[in-house]
Each structure stands twice: as C-alpha cells, then as structure tokens.
Amino acid sequence: MSNLHIDFDLYPDEASLIQGLKKGDRHACACMLKKYAPRVYAIAIRMMRDQDEAEEVLQETFISACQHIQKFEGRSALGTWLHRIATNAALMRLRKQKNKKEVSLDAPLETFDGDDIPRQIEDWTYFPADLSLNSELRDVLEQAIRQLPDSLRTVFTLREIEGYNTAETAAMLNISVSAAKVRLHRARLQLRETLTPYFSERTGGQS
Amino acid sequence: MTTLHTHTASSDCQHLLSQLNDYADGELSAQLCQELEAHLAHCENCSIVLDTLHKTIYLVRHLNSTPPPHIPLSVENRLFAILDLQDFLDQGSD
C-alpha cells in the first residue's frame, strides 16, 4: 500500500477544510488530525496527567468530531470546537475516577482559608526576557501545573489555558461561580509557590 | 545564595490576599482596589506576592501562546489507525 502525502494546500482555509470534512473526505480528516492533534493532546495531558488516559481522550475527541462534524455550525473556530470536545471527554474521565484522593470535581462552595497564605516570599530576580526560546521553562511550568490537585487543575486549565470565562468554567464543572473563583485563586497561588524556588535559586548566578 | 522567607501574614494581609486574584484580573471594585493599594504601599511581602503572582499569570498565558510540543509519533500513528487513515502516515509525518 503506497502512502499518501498530506497536502495542506488542498484546504487553504478553515472553511474549505470544514467543507471537506462534512463531505467525508478522508484527506480533510487527515489534515485536521495533523493540524489539531498536538494541541488537543497537550490539553489531554494537562487534564489527565497520564499518557494512556490522555491518548484515550485524544482518540475520543477525533472520533467524536468525525461523527458529529455535520452538526458543527461554525459558530466557533474548528480548533475551539475540538478543544471543547476534548475538555468534556477529559472531565468525564476524571469524574469516573472515583478512587482518586482529593476533593470531588463537583465539591460544594469553598471559601478562602489559611491554605491560601503564601509561604515563600522571594523576588523572582531571574525572569528571562525572551520566553519563546526557553523550552526548559515550558517544562517547569507544565510540571508545576501537573502537580496541582484535580479540583484546582481542571479549573485552572479551563479558565487560564483554554480561555473559558469563570461562568463557563463553573458550568462545565457543575460548581458555583464563587467556587470556580476560589479554586482559580488557589491554583495560581500554588503555582506561584511551586515556581518560586526555580526563579529565586537563579539569583545566585545561574542563568 | 538567597533565603526563602516564611510569610507570617497579618489578618490584614490575609484578608487582602484573598482579593489578589480579582485585582490581578482587574475585577476588583474601586474601593477594594484603593484599600489593597494602600496596603501594598507599606507591605513589602504582599507586594512581592502580587508581583510574582502577576509573573505566574504572565508565564501561563505565554505558555498558551506557544505551539505545543510535537505529539509522540506512536500516539499519532495509533490515532490515524483508529480513524482508518494510516495510509496518510509516513510522508506526512515527522
């Protein structure tokens, strides 16, 4: 069997790609996978913290997208639509993980308490001007996000990385808006705590 | 070598730190903003927390604007296979 070359020029814009997908064009489907799978996989990894689970989410996302492409009305960008499918698939899987340790994703209202008090007070004197070149920093940040407990990481990922607003985030997680706000606040503070040693250790001369 | 200090927050700090998120997002009421800024003017610890919180948010938003790392080849292969598209792999892959 000879391999087919994926030709992105066949679909020069999103409208033509969607048209191809709705016609059931396999080439369009291959283009969609090639273009969007890395970002969807990154979302899945962040949400699930497990490569096998993330791969399941990735596959479910594109199977679902292919099955439901006729219903896609183009109100959002194709990428946004895929991200939402992936996010929902990940949340469903997280909900099924009953044996997980922490607070339920649907836990009731939370309030600010002593856990929110920052413990490390140190200026980040090492802060690179050109972040685009720093893959090490990207890894450090991804790792810090993965360390967040499920209840905080899901809110943080939806709100801060996927760009949903607080009300949308709360609705997707079946929690109140105020609980979503508290969790986002905690997640940011926890990330700050995790990252502080990385940035302050470099004040001693490392770069 | 730098030393990490432990933040022994006063009740003022504790109350105002709970507002930092809204402040960082520009969602805090004018009155609370004033209150927070007055506190920040004389509380070095809270100023550092706010500054590093801003940097944390900035980093995360930057992360989101950069392209994700490549998907592992084996993961991509299985994805194409499950959608019966494996004949598009090889030349189209890395």
Side-chain angles (χ1 to χ4, degrees):
Chain A
M1 180 170 69
S2 63
N3 289 313
L4 301 169
H5 176 64
I6 297 178
D7 184 4
F8 289 98
D9 292 340
L10 284 176
Y11 311 99
D13 53 35
E14 188 164 300
S16 56
L17 177 62
I18 292 166
Q19 199 175 19
L21 289 168
K22 288 192 172 183
K23 282 182 188 167
D25 180 349
R26 295 177 69 248
H27 205 133
C29 193
C31 280
M32 173 176 70
L33 261 53
K34 204 70 187 165
K35 185 172 179 187
Y36 295 104
R39 182 73 77 187
V40 167
Y41 187 65
I43 292 168
I45 282 279
R46 252 181 231 128
M47 297 281 278
M48 304 308 302
R49 291 193 288 199
D50 177 276
Q51 291 191 346
D52 292 338
E53 291 275 347
E55 186 172 346
E56 295 279 350
V57 167
L58 175 74
Q59 293 180 357
E60 283 171 22
T61 299
F62 285 101
I63 290 170
S64 176
C66 291
Q67 285 171 345
H68 298 104
I69 189 66
Q70 299 301 338
K71 293 181 185 166
F72 178 64
E73 295 175 353
R75 288 182 191 160
S76 65
L78 181 61
T80 307
W81 184 64
L82 291 169
H83 295 176
R84 182 174 277 269
I85 296 173
T87 300
N88 285 332
L91 289 176
M92 279 182 67
R93 284 188 163 267
L94 286 171
R95 285 199 177 93
K96 284 180 187 165
Q97 292 175 354
K98 295 288 185 194
N99 56 344
K100 286 274 177 181
K101 50 304 167 185
E102 330 126 11
V103 185
S104 154
L105 294 175
D106 309 322
L109 181 71
E110 293 144 289
T111 54
F112 294 98
D113 60 26
D115 287 346
D116 299 321
I117 298 172
R119 288 175 169 75
Q120 297 184 98
I121 311 297
E122 186 67 35
D123 256 334
W124 292 4
T125 47
Y126 164 77
F127 199 71
D130 186 1
L131 295 171
S132 62
L133 299 176
N134 200 332
S135 62
E136 179 194 333
L137 187 54
R138 185 188 176 99
D139 291 343
V140 167
L141 193 52
E142 289 280 13
Q143 189 57 37
I145 293 170
R146 277 180 215 164
Q147 285 176 28
L148 293 171
D150 285 354
S151 59
L152 302 189
R153 198 183 64 261
T154 46
V155 169
F156 183 82
T157 303
L158 294 178
R159 180 76 177 75
E160 203 70 271
I161 299 178
E162 292 308 305
Y164 294 107
N165 65 33
T166 308
E168 289 169 331
T169 300
M172 290 176 86
L173 293 169
N174 294 322
I175 58 175
S176 68
V177 167
S178 54
K181 280 190 163 196
V182 170
R183 291 187 196 186
L184 177 64
H185 179 75
R186 281 200 182 136
R188 283 171 168 176
L189 286 179
Q190 280 198 25
L191 270 186
R192 194 202 72 86
E193 293 281 338
T194 308
L195 294 172
T196 289
Y198 176 81
F199 289 108
S200 56
E201 277 167 11
R202 279 156 174 71
T203 57
Q206 295 180 49
S207 61
Chain B
M1 186 172 157
T2 54
T3 309
L4 298 180
H5 307 290
T6 301
H7 187 203
T8 49
S10 71
S11 58
D12 245 12
C13 295
Q14 198 171 342
H15 167 65
L16 290 169
L17 281 170
S18 70
Q19 312 291 335
L20 275 189
N21 214 29
D22 283 346
Y23 183 73
D25 288 337
E27 292 175 0
L28 200 61
S29 71
Q31 190 189 338
L32 280 171
C33 260
Q34 255 184 341
E35 206 181 313
L36 182 65
E37 282 163 4
H39 176 80
L40 289 170
H42 67 77
C43 182
E44 193 186 350
N45 283 352
C46 283
S47 295
I48 290 173
V49 172
L50 177 64
D51 178 58
T52 50
L53 188 67
H54 270 139
K55 284 175 175 161
T56 302
I57 295 168
Y58 174 78
L59 278 175
V60 170
R61 292 187 179 160
H62 175 79
L63 172 76
N64 200 28
S65 67
T66 57
H70 282 178
I71 190 168
L73 200 54
S74 58
V75 173
E76 184 181 64
N77 285 344
R78 287 191 288 271
L79 176 63
F80 272 71
I82 207 165
L83 290 163
D84 200 20
L85 294 167
Q86 54 274 59
D87 47 332
F88 284 97
L89 287 173
D90 193 23
Q91 291 180 53
S93 301
D94 306 319

